[in-house]
Amino acid sequence: QVQLVESGGGSVQSGGSLRLSCAASGYIYSTMGWFRQAPGKEREGVASINSNLIRYADSVKGRFTISRDAAKNTLYLQMNSLKPEDTAMYYCAALRGGSYPSLLARNYNYWGQGTQVTVSS
């Protein structure tokens, strides 16, 4: 069955780093992405990967890196130079089809339960 399980969230000081992981069920999805949502805010696309194509939100470009280990069927998000505005619940998402990375949540079919990231000043 389709399943995405996130891990790696936690609390850090401004400038700190975290690496999020998303373990997927036995299927290699064409497109995967990371999204985040803070209380009272809309869900925001953070990063997406399709084959060797990658797209980042302007707010995280240069600080976050998305990658995928196909052998382990696991998606990662390395987050450096974290800021308080990065505080949110982070979700892993997957899509079987698609030709390009996408930061639009409506394009994705499968979602994990989320992992909390909190960055203090």
mmCIF file of all heavy atoms in Angstrom, residues 34 36 44-48 55-66 77-83 85-86 90 103:
data_model
loop_
_atom_site.group_PDB
_atom_site.id
_atom_site.type_symbol
_atom_site.label_atom_id
_atom_site.label_comp_id
_atom_site.label_asym_id
_atom_site.label_seq_id
_atom_site.Cartn_x
_atom_site.Cartn_y
_atom_site.Cartn_z
ATOM 1 N N TRP A 34 8.629 18.379 -0.912
ATOM 2 C CA TRP A 34 8.454 18.773 0.480
ATOM 3 C C TRP A 34 7.601 20.024 0.537
ATOM 4 O O TRP A 34 7.834 20.978 -0.212
ATOM 5 C CB TRP A 34 9.800 19.052 1.153
ATOM 6 C CG TRP A 34 10.617 17.833 1.429
ATOM 7 C CD1 TRP A 34 11.649 17.346 0.696
ATOM 8 C CD2 TRP A 34 10.456 16.949 2.548
ATOM 9 N NE1 TRP A 34 12.159 16.207 1.275
ATOM 10 C CE2 TRP A 34 11.444 15.943 2.415
ATOM 11 C CE3 TRP A 34 9.594 16.907 3.641
ATOM 12 C CZ2 TRP A 34 11.582 14.907 3.346
ATOM 13 C CZ3 TRP A 34 9.732 15.875 4.549
ATOM 14 C CH2 TRP A 34 10.722 14.893 4.397
ATOM 15 N N ARG A 36 5.361 22.698 3.492
ATOM 16 C CA ARG A 36 5.280 23.069 4.899
ATOM 17 C C ARG A 36 4.057 23.937 5.146
ATOM 18 O O ARG A 36 3.576 24.635 4.255
ATOM 19 C CB ARG A 36 6.552 23.790 5.359
ATOM 20 C CG ARG A 36 6.789 25.143 4.707
ATOM 21 C CD ARG A 36 8.160 25.668 5.095
ATOM 22 N NE ARG A 36 8.419 26.992 4.542
ATOM 23 C CZ ARG A 36 9.575 27.624 4.626
ATOM 24 N NH1 ARG A 36 10.610 27.043 5.256
ATOM 25 N NH2 ARG A 36 9.727 28.830 4.088
ATOM 26 N N GLU A 44 2.695 25.616 1.764
ATOM 27 C CA GLU A 44 3.696 26.195 0.886
ATOM 28 C C GLU A 44 4.622 25.116 0.338
ATOM 29 O O GLU A 44 5.162 24.313 1.094
ATOM 30 C CB GLU A 44 4.515 27.238 1.651
ATOM 31 C CG GLU A 44 5.693 27.807 0.889
ATOM 32 C CD GLU A 44 6.587 28.675 1.751
ATOM 33 O OE1 GLU A 44 6.535 28.539 2.992
ATOM 34 O OE2 GLU A 44 7.333 29.503 1.195
ATOM 35 N N GLY A 45 4.823 25.115 -0.975
ATOM 36 C CA GLY A 45 5.782 24.210 -1.575
ATOM 37 C C GLY A 45 7.198 24.668 -1.264
ATOM 38 O O GLY A 45 7.523 25.839 -1.448
ATOM 39 N N VAL A 46 8.041 23.756 -0.819
ATOM 40 C CA VAL A 46 9.414 24.068 -0.423
ATOM 41 C C VAL A 46 10.412 23.622 -1.475
ATOM 42 O O VAL A 46 11.270 24.395 -1.907
ATOM 43 C CB VAL A 46 9.749 23.417 0.931
ATOM 44 C CG1 VAL A 46 11.218 23.628 1.283
ATOM 45 C CG2 VAL A 46 8.846 23.972 2.022
ATOM 46 N N ALA A 47 10.319 22.361 -1.889
ATOM 47 C CA ALA A 47 11.251 21.800 -2.862
ATOM 48 C C ALA A 47 10.627 20.586 -3.519
ATOM 49 O O ALA A 47 9.829 19.883 -2.907
ATOM 50 C CB ALA A 47 12.567 21.419 -2.195
ATOM 51 N N SER A 48 11.002 20.326 -4.765
ATOM 52 C CA SER A 48 10.476 19.185 -5.496
ATOM 53 C C SER A 48 11.541 18.623 -6.417
ATOM 54 O O SER A 48 12.388 19.369 -6.915
ATOM 55 C CB SER A 48 9.237 19.595 -6.300
ATOM 56 O OG SER A 48 8.728 18.517 -7.060
ATOM 57 N N ARG A 55 13.337 21.924 -8.146
ATOM 58 C CA ARG A 55 12.801 23.269 -8.004
ATOM 59 C C ARG A 55 12.698 23.624 -6.526
ATOM 60 O O ARG A 55 12.275 22.806 -5.711
ATOM 61 C CB ARG A 55 11.427 23.373 -8.670
ATOM 62 C CG ARG A 55 10.753 24.730 -8.535
ATOM 63 C CD ARG A 55 9.533 24.805 -9.423
ATOM 64 N NE ARG A 55 9.917 24.767 -10.828
ATOM 65 C CZ ARG A 55 9.072 24.558 -11.827
ATOM 66 N NH1 ARG A 55 7.790 24.357 -11.569
ATOM 67 N NH2 ARG A 55 9.506 24.545 -13.074
ATOM 68 N N TYR A 56 13.088 24.855 -6.174
ATOM 69 C CA TYR A 56 13.017 25.340 -4.801
ATOM 70 C C TYR A 56 12.184 26.603 -4.709
ATOM 71 O O TYR A 56 12.156 27.415 -5.643
ATOM 72 C CB TYR A 56 14.407 25.685 -4.265
ATOM 73 C CG TYR A 56 15.349 24.524 -4.114
ATOM 74 C CD1 TYR A 56 16.353 24.290 -5.042
ATOM 75 C CD2 TYR A 56 15.244 23.670 -3.021
ATOM 76 C CE1 TYR A 56 17.229 23.234 -4.899
ATOM 77 C CE2 TYR A 56 16.120 22.606 -2.869
ATOM 78 C CZ TYR A 56 17.112 22.391 -3.812
ATOM 79 O OH TYR A 56 17.982 21.336 -3.651
ATOM 80 N N ALA A 57 11.533 26.774 -3.577
ATOM 81 C CA ALA A 57 10.897 28.045 -3.289
ATOM 82 C C ALA A 57 11.985 29.097 -3.097
ATOM 83 O O ALA A 57 13.066 28.798 -2.580
ATOM 84 C CB ALA A 57 10.040 27.942 -2.032
ATOM 85 N N ASP A 58 11.708 30.332 -3.501
ATOM 86 C CA ASP A 58 12.692 31.403 -3.363
ATOM 87 C C ASP A 58 13.140 31.583 -1.911
ATOM 88 O O ASP A 58 14.296 31.927 -1.650
ATOM 89 C CB ASP A 58 12.124 32.722 -3.886
ATOM 90 C CG ASP A 58 11.983 32.745 -5.396
ATOM 91 O OD1 ASP A 58 12.610 31.907 -6.075
ATOM 92 O OD2 ASP A 58 11.241 33.611 -5.901
ATOM 93 N N SER A 59 12.241 31.344 -0.980
ATOM 94 C CA SER A 59 12.532 31.571 0.425
ATOM 95 C C SER A 59 13.573 30.608 1.002
ATOM 96 O O SER A 59 14.156 30.891 2.048
ATOM 97 C CB SER A 59 11.244 31.487 1.250
ATOM 98 O OG SER A 59 10.634 30.218 1.107
ATOM 99 N N VAL A 60 13.810 29.473 0.342
ATOM 100 C CA VAL A 60 14.753 28.489 0.864
ATOM 101 C C VAL A 60 15.938 28.256 -0.061
ATOM 102 O O VAL A 60 16.875 27.529 0.306
ATOM 103 C CB VAL A 60 14.065 27.139 1.164
ATOM 104 C CG1 VAL A 60 12.859 27.344 2.058
ATOM 105 C CG2 VAL A 60 13.675 26.429 -0.130
ATOM 106 N N LYS A 61 15.921 28.847 -1.230
ATOM 107 C CA LYS A 61 16.985 28.647 -2.208
ATOM 108 C C LYS A 61 18.334 29.037 -1.614
ATOM 109 O O LYS A 61 18.487 30.108 -1.031
ATOM 110 C CB LYS A 61 16.705 29.469 -3.463
ATOM 111 C CG LYS A 61 17.434 28.997 -4.703
ATOM 112 C CD LYS A 61 16.955 29.752 -5.926
ATOM 113 C CE LYS A 61 17.553 29.203 -7.208
ATOM 114 N NZ LYS A 61 17.096 27.824 -7.477
ATOM 115 N N GLY A 62 19.316 28.155 -1.761
ATOM 116 C CA GLY A 62 20.640 28.387 -1.220
ATOM 117 C C GLY A 62 20.818 27.882 0.194
ATOM 118 O O GLY A 62 21.955 27.810 0.677
ATOM 119 N N ARG A 63 19.727 27.536 0.868
ATOM 120 C CA ARG A 63 19.793 27.040 2.242
ATOM 121 C C ARG A 63 19.359 25.579 2.363
ATOM 122 O O ARG A 63 19.890 24.837 3.179
ATOM 123 C CB ARG A 63 18.921 27.888 3.169
ATOM 124 C CG ARG A 63 19.337 29.353 3.224
ATOM 125 C CD ARG A 63 18.552 30.107 4.299
ATOM 126 N NE ARG A 63 17.118 30.114 4.021
ATOM 127 C CZ ARG A 63 16.188 29.617 4.835
ATOM 128 N NH1 ARG A 63 16.541 29.069 5.996
ATOM 129 N NH2 ARG A 63 14.904 29.684 4.508
ATOM 130 N N PHE A 64 18.378 25.174 1.555
ATOM 131 C CA PHE A 64 17.844 23.814 1.603
ATOM 132 C C PHE A 64 18.294 23.022 0.381
ATOM 133 O O PHE A 64 18.463 23.583 -0.704
ATOM 134 C CB PHE A 64 16.317 23.827 1.619
ATOM 135 C CG PHE A 64 15.686 24.357 2.874
ATOM 136 C CD1 PHE A 64 16.432 24.997 3.856
ATOM 137 C CD2 PHE A 64 14.322 24.213 3.069
ATOM 138 C CE1 PHE A 64 15.835 25.491 5.005
ATOM 139 C CE2 PHE A 64 13.713 24.696 4.211
ATOM 140 C CZ PHE A 64 14.466 25.334 5.181
ATOM 141 N N THR A 65 18.442 21.712 0.550
ATOM 142 C CA THR A 65 18.803 20.830 -0.551
ATOM 143 C C THR A 65 17.923 19.589 -0.526
ATOM 144 O O THR A 65 17.879 18.882 0.482
ATOM 145 C CB THR A 65 20.273 20.398 -0.475
ATOM 146 O OG1 THR A 65 21.121 21.555 -0.472
ATOM 147 C CG2 THR A 65 20.632 19.524 -1.670
ATOM 148 N N ILE A 66 17.231 19.321 -1.629
ATOM 149 C CA ILE A 66 16.418 18.123 -1.741
ATOM 150 C C ILE A 66 17.208 17.055 -2.487
ATOM 151 O O ILE A 66 17.946 17.354 -3.427
ATOM 152 C CB ILE A 66 15.077 18.411 -2.455
ATOM 153 C CG1 ILE A 66 14.144 17.191 -2.381
ATOM 154 C CG2 ILE A 66 15.301 18.839 -3.903
ATOM 155 C CD1 ILE A 66 12.735 17.472 -2.882
ATOM 156 N N LEU A 77 15.526 16.140 2.858
ATOM 157 C CA LEU A 77 15.597 17.592 2.780
ATOM 158 C C LEU A 77 16.625 18.059 3.799
ATOM 159 O O LEU A 77 16.373 18.010 5.007
ATOM 160 C CB LEU A 77 14.241 18.245 3.058
ATOM 161 C CG LEU A 77 14.208 19.763 2.904
ATOM 162 C CD1 LEU A 77 14.407 20.151 1.429
ATOM 163 C CD2 LEU A 77 12.903 20.341 3.427
ATOM 164 N N GLN A 78 17.782 18.485 3.317
ATOM 165 C CA GLN A 78 18.811 19.051 4.172
ATOM 166 C C GLN A 78 18.527 20.532 4.341
ATOM 167 O O GLN A 78 18.462 21.270 3.358
ATOM 168 C CB GLN A 78 20.196 18.849 3.564
ATOM 169 C CG GLN A 78 21.336 19.448 4.375
ATOM 170 C CD GLN A 78 21.517 18.760 5.708
ATOM 171 O OE1 GLN A 78 21.546 17.534 5.776
ATOM 172 N NE2 GLN A 78 21.635 19.536 6.777
ATOM 173 N N MET A 79 18.354 20.980 5.576
ATOM 174 C CA MET A 79 18.004 22.360 5.868
ATOM 175 C C MET A 79 19.124 22.995 6.679
ATOM 176 O O MET A 79 19.395 22.575 7.801
ATOM 177 C CB MET A 79 16.684 22.434 6.633
ATOM 178 C CG MET A 79 15.535 21.722 5.933
ATOM 179 S SD MET A 79 13.950 21.959 6.783
ATOM 180 C CE MET A 79 14.293 21.087 8.312
ATOM 181 N N ASN A 80 19.768 24.005 6.101
ATOM 182 C CA ASN A 80 20.848 24.732 6.761
ATOM 183 C C ASN A 80 20.449 26.187 6.967
ATOM 184 O O ASN A 80 19.523 26.682 6.341
ATOM 185 C CB ASN A 80 22.126 24.663 5.927
ATOM 186 C CG ASN A 80 22.643 23.259 5.740
ATOM 187 O OD1 ASN A 80 22.509 22.412 6.620
ATOM 188 N ND2 ASN A 80 23.253 23.001 4.587
ATOM 189 N N SER A 81 21.189 26.865 7.829
ATOM 190 C CA SER A 81 20.941 28.283 8.110
ATOM 191 C C SER A 81 19.471 28.540 8.407
ATOM 192 O O SER A 81 18.861 29.468 7.871
ATOM 193 C CB SER A 81 21.409 29.144 6.925
ATOM 194 O OG SER A 81 22.781 28.944 6.663
ATOM 195 N N LEU A 82 18.904 27.730 9.264
ATOM 196 C CA LEU A 82 17.474 27.818 9.560
ATOM 197 C C LEU A 82 17.118 29.141 10.224
ATOM 198 O O LEU A 82 17.892 29.694 11.009
ATOM 199 C CB LEU A 82 17.049 26.653 10.440
ATOM 200 C CG LEU A 82 16.894 25.325 9.692
ATOM 201 C CD1 LEU A 82 16.919 24.159 10.651
ATOM 202 C CD2 LEU A 82 15.603 25.329 8.877
ATOM 203 N N LYS A 83 15.939 29.631 9.888
ATOM 204 C CA LYS A 83 15.414 30.885 10.403
ATOM 205 C C LYS A 83 14.087 30.637 11.117
ATOM 206 O O LYS A 83 13.405 29.657 10.827
ATOM 207 C CB LYS A 83 15.172 31.876 9.252
ATOM 208 C CG LYS A 83 16.378 32.127 8.368
ATOM 209 C CD LYS A 83 15.990 32.996 7.179
ATOM 210 C CE LYS A 83 17.176 33.260 6.277
ATOM 211 N NZ LYS A 83 16.793 34.102 5.109
ATOM 212 N N GLU A 85 11.276 31.871 10.608
ATOM 213 C CA GLU A 85 10.199 31.772 9.634
ATOM 214 C C GLU A 85 10.117 30.413 8.943
ATOM 215 O O GLU A 85 9.168 30.150 8.204
ATOM 216 C CB GLU A 85 10.292 32.891 8.579
ATOM 217 C CG GLU A 85 11.651 33.009 7.924
ATOM 218 C CD GLU A 85 12.508 34.101 8.548
ATOM 219 O OE1 GLU A 85 12.571 34.176 9.787
ATOM 220 O OE2 GLU A 85 13.107 34.889 7.778
ATOM 221 N N ASP A 86 11.096 29.544 9.172
ATOM 222 C CA ASP A 86 11.036 28.174 8.664
ATOM 223 C C ASP A 86 10.208 27.264 9.562
ATOM 224 O O ASP A 86 9.953 26.113 9.200
ATOM 225 C CB ASP A 86 12.445 27.586 8.526
ATOM 226 C CG ASP A 86 13.285 28.303 7.491
ATOM 227 O OD1 ASP A 86 12.758 28.631 6.408
ATOM 228 O OD2 ASP A 86 14.485 28.533 7.765
ATOM 229 N N TYR A 90 6.289 20.021 8.356
ATOM 230 C CA TYR A 90 6.810 19.685 7.041
ATOM 231 C C TYR A 90 6.243 18.360 6.569
ATOM 232 O O TYR A 90 6.279 17.363 7.295
ATOM 233 C CB TYR A 90 8.342 19.629 7.069
ATOM 234 C CG TYR A 90 8.981 20.991 7.058
ATOM 235 C CD1 TYR A 90 8.897 21.819 8.169
ATOM 236 C CD2 TYR A 90 9.647 21.459 5.930
ATOM 237 C CE1 TYR A 90 9.461 23.081 8.162
ATOM 238 C CE2 TYR A 90 10.219 22.721 5.915
ATOM 239 C CZ TYR A 90 10.125 23.525 7.032
ATOM 240 O OH TYR A 90 10.688 24.775 7.019
ATOM 241 N N LEU A 103 5.799 22.626 -7.222
ATOM 242 C CA LEU A 103 5.575 23.148 -5.879
ATOM 243 C C LEU A 103 4.095 23.393 -5.617
ATOM 244 O O LEU A 103 3.744 24.062 -4.640
ATOM 245 C CB LEU A 103 6.366 24.440 -5.672
ATOM 246 C CG LEU A 103 7.889 24.316 -5.800
ATOM 247 C CD1 LEU A 103 8.553 25.665 -5.573
ATOM 248 C CD2 LEU A 103 8.426 23.285 -4.821
#
